[in-house]
Amino acid sequence: MIRRRPPLVATCRALVAVAVLALAGGAIAAPVKTAHVEAELVAATTALVPGEPVTVALRLSMERGWHTYWQNPGDSGLPTTLAWKLPGDIAAGPIQWPAPKALPAGPLINYGYEGEVFLLTDITAPA
């Protein structure tokens, strides 16, 4: 039997809201935990500088036997997505995907991550 990761869409949306507050106020957000995945937004700095990007990572830590998918998931699955809701003219770039590993599932080959992965995104405030 193939175990799949639970949908992370709601978790990611909650984390985006926390990230905006954390970046704006320098606060540290607690990880969000589901039955099989811990998700957390981790910023490279605690402040936005006008016109300069700050890298924010979605850290996913998955229980043994669980995984999440790469931008090209392979034969099945869907990639992790982020739906940023940022104030004003603050913009988020695309996910900077690390190299995946092959995740065989019977005759299928999927691509993704097990254990822990950091999916990076640059956030930029207007100059």
Side-chain angles (χ1 to χ4, degrees), residues 6 8 42 44 49 54 61 85 110 116:
L8 295 176
V42 182
V49 175
V54 62
S61 179
K85 293 185 181 182
N110 298 314
E116 183 176 68

Side-chain angles (χ1 to χ4, degrees), residues 86-92 124-127:
L86 301 169
D89 293 334
I90 296 176
T124 306

